[in-house]
Structure formats: structure tokens, C-alpha cells
Amino acid sequence: MQIKLQKVVPVPLKDKIELRNSDVWNVEQTFSSNDWVKIKAPSGTGKTTLIHILYKLRFDFSGTIFWDNENCINITENKLAQYRQQKMSVIFQDLRLFQNLTAQENIELNRVLQKPYYESSVIQSMAEQLGVAHVLQQRAGLCSYGEQQRICIIRALVQPFEILLMDEPFSHLDNNNISIAANLIAEECKKRNAGFVLTDLDEDTHFNYTQKISL
Amino acid sequence: MLFTLFKKIIKTSAGRTKFVLAFVGLSVALLLILSAIQIHANFNQLLYGKNNSDSTANFLVINKEVNNNTVNATVLSNETLQEIKQQPYIEAVGIISAGRFKASIESLIKSFPFYTDIAFESVQDDFIDVSSKDWKWNEEANFIPMIIPNMFLDIYNFQFSMSQGYPQITPESLKMMNFKVNLYDVNGNIKSYIGRIVGFSDRISSVLVPQSFMDWANKNFGNATTTNPGRVVIKTKDPGNPALVKFLKEKGLTTDADKTRFSKYRQIVNVVVNISWITGVVMLLFALLIFTLFIQLTVASCKDEIQLLITLGASPQQLKAYLMKQFFPSNIVITVIALIVVSVLQFLMFKVLQQQNIFLSPFISLYTLLISIVVLIVLWWVNHSTIKKYIAGK
């Protein structure tokens, strides 16, 4: 899969963007399944906005986005669901778990939305790897932010994808947990020959990035 | 598994009372509609069915008015018969053929002696309001079945027997008696047969014999001249039709005015049926509205959850399929319940009316079944389009 941005400028950030140079806004930029991209940017520069625009959650921008050469605007609801089930996965900064479902159910939901990529037992082994196996049967709303974030990571990794979008995916984790989670993500991306776009505040060496750009 | 998770996320318990109301409303509506159709079907069966001994269908015997101008000239001309057949409100015309031979009938029982000259008439079986397995005749049979007017028995029981000191007689015992029927040919030779009364008619005031017997007897005993009939039976949907009354008057024809009361009964039934189905349809519309609102309420109360499901990649089809599975089965249950209730009522009605010699089908009509399927399709469509509309808005 390939996501191409053509002179994209989010309306709320228009004034700020015109005053500075960016590798993403108002230029041509492409993210594909071969790229492991790190986007480093300070707060308020539109990291979350970018992830949401790439995932077709926001439309308040000028310019054009192409998904596999098709104008994103023209993609129908059914095709959008297909993309999100088969080609794109996402880890939101604001986590977005169903608070009333257990951690296990939250992950299971994303596993069975399409023809399952993994057996249900993979959830357990991933949870053990990330140290959240003990909260799997707990309601997501009762888990700590760190636990919830790891649940979100597992949720994103149990489905098929070609591009993984990550919006500050480690913001609630300590260094040790970050490195374990990053290893799991790298492993899963390699397994699928998938690329990713990761946004964060700081420099890091969690992955072998193919591209580091700034907003 | 997916739907189990959906069920935990999309709570349909919001507005449970509204759902129960809609459920009850829809049940009553369907019951009214299906009953109305079933009553209509039953009524049609009574009107046009051929196996009812006391049919409410409207058959009228018509003949020329006998007055000073028409005495001995009451035969209906070919033109008049043709004109009667051509009237749009007359569905069928049955020729009443009169016997062209002399006949007499006498009792074979000493305690009940009588002898009388008699004349027969016959009409196609479709026009006779009595059904009896004995109502058949062929040349080999020595037995002649007869249908006499109810009125004859009344005259005997309430006038004749009282004044002559004879015992009264029930229809059943009269049916069991054999009579001697004598037929006289043109030369005065007598041939005797056994005759028996197989039924009593309210419709045709005449001693009726099977058409096949009449044809045979006219050929063998009657004079050769054929004449037009003096009376015909007509079948009409509405004997109170002013056009029919006007036509009869113009042609100098008369009929049994009392028959018009049947049309009054029928009009009352029609009004009841119409009120029933119109109320049913109105209730159905309200029930559909409540169902629609219920679906809207459910989707609105789970707006955020549905939004997140779509964000995660749930397709509109998956959500639609799930919501249909939540809402539509109750509609099927309601329809089945309504059909069962109507079927039970129909069976009870069949049992009750059977005792009064009115024969209805013990099962519901095909139309009732078809309409319930149509209503189910409408319900499916309303559910489906409502869900589609509100899911698409997310």
C-alpha cells in the first residue's frame, strides 16, 4: 500500500505552516509499505492531525491524499472498511479502547472484524511478551494508561496490515517496556513486509528507520 | 464471536419499554389486518362457495309478474333471457325447467296418509342451496331425490297437521320417509317410482328434482313441445343494487323482496371488515414509526461506540447485519404469533359455524398467508432502510 500526500495543509494549522518549512505539509510526500518512517515534531505541530488525516478520520485540509493512487475522498464506506481491515492498522495517542469491554475483548474484536490473521492464542502470547497478560480479563477502563497503551499495541498487531500508523505509541511506557514493545512491532512489521509511520516528540533509536522527517 | 462483542458494545436495552409498546402495537395491528383479510376470505367463500346449505350469497328467483295482462303468458322470451344474461350485475343465470308431464305423489305409510297431484321443476345444481350426497339420479335408479321448500313443511306442521289432527313431523323424519311417485305419460299410462325428500330449500319455492331426471322424464313422459322457462334463478353480488331493481321493474319481472336483507347483513360485515383493516393499517404505521424511532434511539445512544467500531474498521455491512439480527427476528415472531392466533380463531369459527350448517375452511386462506409475508417484507424493508440511514450518518 502507498499513501501519497499532495500539498496537504490542515485548515486549523494553515497560518503556522505557511511560516515554516515542513517535510510533510504543503509538499509532496509518500509513505509506503517499504518505509519505516519516523516523524519527529514538537507539540502542537499537527502530529495527531497527520495520523488522523492519513487514516481518513479528518477532512479539514486542503490538498489531496491518495491511497494506492485513488483520491482518498472518493473511497466509499465499504472500501474504507476493507482498507482498515486488511491494509492499515493504527495505534491512537488517545488509545480509544472500549472501556466496558475487557482488554482481551478489545483485542479480540479487532482480530475477528476480518478473517482472522492470527489464532486467538496469539493474544495471550503477545500479552505475556508485553507484560499485560494479567489484565487481559480486566475491564479496559480499569487498566492503567501504560497497560491500556500496550493493549492498544497488541490490538493493532493482531490484524493484517501493510502500513501501521502510530501516534506517540510509547508515551505512557518506561524505557524497558518501550524496547520490548518496539521489538514486537518491528517483528510483526517484518513478518508482513509492512511499513509504518510513527510520530513522536523526541529522537529515538527504537527502530531501524528508513526515513526520519520533521513536520 | 464478532456479534457477541457487538452485543456488548451496542446496547439495545435503551428504551426497552418503547420496544415492548412497539411489539404489542405491531401484534395488534397485524392481528387486525390478518383477521380482516381472513373474514373477507371467509365471506367470499360463503358468497361464492358451492358447499354451503345456508349460503348468504344472493340468488334471486325471478319471473313475470302475474297480472291481468300477463295471465297465461308468463313464459320468458328469448330476448328477455338474453337481456337478463347481459346485465353486468348478474353473474349467472340458471334456467328453471318445468316438468311437462303429469305426476302425483302418495304416502306409503298408513299413519300418514296423503295423496296429491304434483309438478316438478329443476335447475342446475350450482343454483341450489342444499348439498346432499343423495342428490343424484340415473336411469337405472328407481329412486327420485326431491328438494322441497322449507315453507311446505311449515305449512304442514303449523296449519295442516293442527287442523287435521295429524302428528307434526321433523325435517329429519321426513327425509327418512319414502313416497310413491307416479308419472303419467301423454296416453295416461302410469309408471311408479320411489321418491324421497333429501333437503329443504329457502331459495326456490318449488319441488325440485335433479336436472338429469327432469330431462329424461320430459323426454319419456312429456309432450314433445319445448317451451321457454317461466322462471330463472340469477346470482348477483348485490340484490339491493338499484340498477337491478330498476331493470326488473322495466321488464315487468318480480322477485323475493325479502332477499335484500342479506345484502344488509353483508354491508354490515363489509363495514366491520373495512374498519378492522383500516385500523390495522393505521396501527401498523404507528408501530413502524415506533420501531423506527427505537432503532434510531439505539443507534443514537451508542453513537460513540458505533463511531469507534467504524474507526477500527467495522464495515457498514457488518453493523447492518448485526442490527438487523437484533431487531428483525422480533418482527418474525410477531407475524408468526398473529398467524397462529388467526389460525386458532379460524378453526374455532369453523367448529361453531359447522353446527349451523355453514361450512368454512378450517384453515386460514392463502391470501392471509400472502399478506402476512408482504407485511413481513415491508417490516424488513423499514428495518433495513432505517438501519442503513442511521449507520450511514455515523
Side-chain angles (χ1 to χ4, degrees), chain B residues 209-225:
Chain B
V209 290
Q211 185 72 46
S212 51
F213 170 76
M214 181 59 88
D215 294 341
W216 173 84
N218 269 342
K219 202 172 125 200
N220 289 286
F221 296 90
N223 49 40
T225 54

Side-chain angles (χ1 to χ4, degrees), chain A residues 101 105, chain B residues 1-9 322 325:
Chain A
L101 295 190
E105 286 166 342
Chain B
M1 185 63 200
L2 182 63
F3 283 4
T4 319
L5 290 169
F6 276 6
K7 195 168 185 161
K8 288 189 175 176
I9 296 165
Y322 168 73
K325 202 169 160 249

Side-chain angles (χ1 to χ4, degrees), chain B residues 328 335 370-384:
Chain B
F328 191 58
T335 313
L370 283 177
I371 292 295
S372 64
I373 292 170
V374 169
V375 170
L376 209 54
I377 291 171
V378 169
L379 284 170
W380 182 88
W381 180 78
V382 169
N383 275 296
H384 189 260

Side-chain angles (χ1 to χ4, degrees), chain A residues 100-148:
Chain A
N100 288 325
L101 295 190
T102 64
Q104 171 105 29
E105 286 166 342
N106 267 292
I107 301 166
E108 182 68 12
L109 176 69
N110 211 36
R111 189 182 75 87
V112 295
L113 263 183
Q114 59 285 309
K115 191 172 167 280
Y117 180 78
Y118 274 136
E119 291 290 314
S120 185
S121 55
V122 174
I123 297 174
Q124 182 68 30
S125 69
M126 282 186 180
E128 276 164 14
Q129 238 174 302
L130 298 195
V132 286
H134 63 289
V135 297
L136 278 181
Q137 303 310 323
Q138 203 169 301
R139 266 180 45 213
L142 297 178
C143 296
S144 73
Y145 280 117
E147 286 161 346
Q148 285 191 41

